[in-house]
mmCIF file of all heavy atoms in Angstrom:
data_model
loop_
_atom_site.group_PDB
_atom_site.id
_atom_site.type_symbol
_atom_site.label_atom_id
_atom_site.label_comp_id
_atom_site.label_asym_id
_atom_site.label_seq_id
_atom_site.Cartn_x
_atom_site.Cartn_y
_atom_site.Cartn_z
ATOM 1 N N ALA N 152 82.174 -25.956 150.661
ATOM 2 C CA ALA N 152 83.562 -25.730 151.094
ATOM 3 C C ALA N 152 83.709 -26.173 152.534
ATOM 4 O O ALA N 152 84.681 -26.775 152.921
ATOM 5 C CB ALA N 152 83.924 -24.282 150.894
ATOM 6 N N TYR N 153 82.670 -25.871 153.353
ATOM 7 C CA TYR N 153 82.706 -26.281 154.802
ATOM 8 C C TYR N 153 82.799 -27.789 154.922
ATOM 9 O O TYR N 153 83.545 -28.308 155.709
ATOM 10 C CB TYR N 153 81.433 -25.726 155.462
ATOM 11 C CG TYR N 153 81.280 -26.158 156.909
ATOM 12 C CD1 TYR N 153 82.089 -25.537 157.905
ATOM 13 C CD2 TYR N 153 80.424 -27.140 157.309
ATOM 14 C CE1 TYR N 153 81.974 -25.919 159.241
ATOM 15 C CE2 TYR N 153 80.293 -27.551 158.630
ATOM 16 C CZ TYR N 153 81.075 -26.941 159.566
ATOM 17 O OH TYR N 153 80.978 -27.279 160.915
ATOM 18 N N GLU N 154 81.979 -28.466 154.116
ATOM 19 C CA GLU N 154 81.973 -29.940 154.175
ATOM 20 C C GLU N 154 83.223 -30.559 153.536
ATOM 21 O O GLU N 154 83.818 -31.526 154.036
ATOM 22 C CB GLU N 154 80.703 -30.470 153.514
ATOM 23 C CG GLU N 154 79.544 -30.380 154.538
ATOM 24 C CD GLU N 154 78.200 -30.066 153.864
ATOM 25 O OE1 GLU N 154 78.090 -30.284 152.663
ATOM 26 O OE2 GLU N 154 77.321 -29.533 154.530
ATOM 27 N N MET N 155 83.650 -29.941 152.420
ATOM 28 C CA MET N 155 84.799 -30.532 151.683
ATOM 29 C C MET N 155 86.114 -30.444 152.466
ATOM 30 O O MET N 155 86.931 -31.349 152.385
ATOM 31 C CB MET N 155 84.991 -29.800 150.359
ATOM 32 C CG MET N 155 84.299 -30.421 149.203
ATOM 33 S SD MET N 155 84.784 -29.671 147.641
ATOM 34 C CE MET N 155 83.879 -30.719 146.471
ATOM 35 N N VAL N 156 86.313 -29.406 153.278
ATOM 36 C CA VAL N 156 87.556 -29.288 153.992
ATOM 37 C C VAL N 156 87.643 -30.440 155.001
ATOM 38 O O VAL N 156 88.703 -31.034 155.248
ATOM 39 C CB VAL N 156 87.768 -27.901 154.607
ATOM 40 C CG1 VAL N 156 86.783 -27.593 155.734
ATOM 41 C CG2 VAL N 156 89.187 -27.741 155.123
ATOM 42 N N GLN N 157 86.496 -30.781 155.606
ATOM 43 C CA GLN N 157 86.506 -31.894 156.545
ATOM 44 C C GLN N 157 86.758 -33.207 155.824
ATOM 45 O O GLN N 157 87.535 -34.068 156.291
ATOM 46 C CB GLN N 157 85.138 -31.973 157.316
ATOM 47 C CG GLN N 157 84.894 -30.689 158.095
ATOM 48 C CD GLN N 157 83.547 -30.624 158.722
ATOM 49 O OE1 GLN N 157 83.265 -31.412 159.616
ATOM 50 N NE2 GLN N 157 82.701 -29.724 158.268
ATOM 51 N N GLN N 158 86.109 -33.378 154.694
ATOM 52 C CA GLN N 158 86.336 -34.595 153.856
ATOM 53 C C GLN N 158 87.812 -34.658 153.430
ATOM 54 O O GLN N 158 88.433 -35.719 153.418
ATOM 55 C CB GLN N 158 85.413 -34.530 152.663
ATOM 56 C CG GLN N 158 85.460 -35.781 151.780
ATOM 57 C CD GLN N 158 84.664 -35.630 150.523
ATOM 58 O OE1 GLN N 158 84.078 -34.596 150.237
ATOM 59 N NE2 GLN N 158 84.599 -36.685 149.744
ATOM 60 N N ALA N 159 88.405 -33.490 153.071
ATOM 61 C CA ALA N 159 89.777 -33.465 152.602
ATOM 62 C C ALA N 159 90.763 -33.948 153.707
ATOM 63 O O ALA N 159 91.720 -34.626 153.404
ATOM 64 C CB ALA N 159 90.130 -32.060 152.184
ATOM 65 N N PHE N 160 90.454 -33.579 154.963
ATOM 66 C CA PHE N 160 91.337 -34.094 156.055
ATOM 67 C C PHE N 160 91.261 -35.617 156.178
ATOM 68 O O PHE N 160 92.266 -36.263 156.319
ATOM 69 C CB PHE N 160 90.927 -33.429 157.405
ATOM 70 C CG PHE N 160 91.591 -32.079 157.616
ATOM 71 C CD1 PHE N 160 90.854 -30.918 157.619
ATOM 72 C CD2 PHE N 160 92.988 -32.030 157.826
ATOM 73 C CE1 PHE N 160 91.462 -29.673 157.803
ATOM 74 C CE2 PHE N 160 93.580 -30.767 158.034
ATOM 75 C CZ PHE N 160 92.847 -29.611 158.002
ATOM 76 N N ASP N 161 90.063 -36.158 156.140
ATOM 77 C CA ASP N 161 89.883 -37.615 156.196
ATOM 78 C C ASP N 161 90.614 -38.290 155.037
ATOM 79 O O ASP N 161 91.329 -39.263 155.216
ATOM 80 C CB ASP N 161 88.402 -37.963 156.128
ATOM 81 C CG ASP N 161 87.624 -37.536 157.387
ATOM 82 O OD1 ASP N 161 88.330 -37.298 158.420
ATOM 83 O OD2 ASP N 161 86.424 -37.464 157.379
ATOM 84 N N PHE N 162 90.465 -37.718 153.873
ATOM 85 C CA PHE N 162 91.007 -38.282 152.657
ATOM 86 C C PHE N 162 92.535 -38.220 152.727
ATOM 87 O O PHE N 162 93.225 -39.204 152.397
ATOM 88 C CB PHE N 162 90.540 -37.362 151.545
ATOM 89 C CG PHE N 162 90.445 -38.014 150.169
ATOM 90 C CD1 PHE N 162 89.350 -38.782 149.830
ATOM 91 C CD2 PHE N 162 91.439 -37.848 149.259
ATOM 92 C CE1 PHE N 162 89.280 -39.373 148.603
ATOM 93 C CE2 PHE N 162 91.409 -38.448 148.026
ATOM 94 C CZ PHE N 162 90.304 -39.184 147.667
ATOM 95 N N SER N 163 93.094 -37.099 153.210
ATOM 96 C CA SER N 163 94.522 -36.946 153.323
ATOM 97 C C SER N 163 95.115 -38.020 154.224
ATOM 98 O O SER N 163 96.155 -38.638 153.914
ATOM 99 C CB SER N 163 94.831 -35.553 153.862
ATOM 100 O OG SER N 163 96.170 -35.432 154.207
ATOM 101 N N GLU N 164 94.433 -38.262 155.348
ATOM 102 C CA GLU N 164 94.948 -39.250 156.318
ATOM 103 C C GLU N 164 94.816 -40.682 155.739
ATOM 104 O O GLU N 164 95.716 -41.497 155.860
ATOM 105 C CB GLU N 164 94.197 -39.112 157.623
ATOM 106 C CG GLU N 164 95.057 -38.501 158.682
ATOM 107 C CD GLU N 164 94.204 -37.933 159.841
ATOM 108 O OE1 GLU N 164 93.214 -38.564 160.229
ATOM 109 O OE2 GLU N 164 94.597 -36.878 160.321
ATOM 110 N N LYS N 165 93.656 -40.907 155.165
ATOM 111 C CA LYS N 165 93.403 -42.300 154.653
ATOM 112 C C LYS N 165 94.375 -42.657 153.592
ATOM 113 O O LYS N 165 94.873 -43.811 153.545
ATOM 114 C CB LYS N 165 91.943 -42.341 154.139
ATOM 115 C CG LYS N 165 91.529 -43.703 153.658
ATOM 116 C CD LYS N 165 90.040 -43.774 153.429
ATOM 117 C CE LYS N 165 89.679 -45.217 152.937
ATOM 118 N NZ LYS N 165 88.287 -45.293 152.535
ATOM 119 N N TYR N 166 94.749 -41.714 152.720
ATOM 120 C CA TYR N 166 95.622 -42.091 151.554
ATOM 121 C C TYR N 166 97.071 -41.510 151.765
ATOM 122 O O TYR N 166 97.899 -41.674 150.858
ATOM 123 C CB TYR N 166 95.008 -41.593 150.267
ATOM 124 C CG TYR N 166 93.678 -42.264 150.026
ATOM 125 C CD1 TYR N 166 92.443 -41.621 150.204
ATOM 126 C CD2 TYR N 166 93.670 -43.607 149.567
ATOM 127 C CE1 TYR N 166 91.280 -42.286 150.013
ATOM 128 C CE2 TYR N 166 92.457 -44.258 149.356
ATOM 129 C CZ TYR N 166 91.291 -43.572 149.582
ATOM 130 O OH TYR N 166 90.082 -44.244 149.344
#
Side-chain angles (χ1 to χ4, degrees):
Chain N
Y153 176 75
E154 281 144 20
M155 265 188 178
V156 67
Q157 299 175 66
Q158 186 186 2
F160 275 111
D161 291 342
F162 207 83
S163 169
E164 253 161 38
K165 184 166 179 188
Y166 297 103

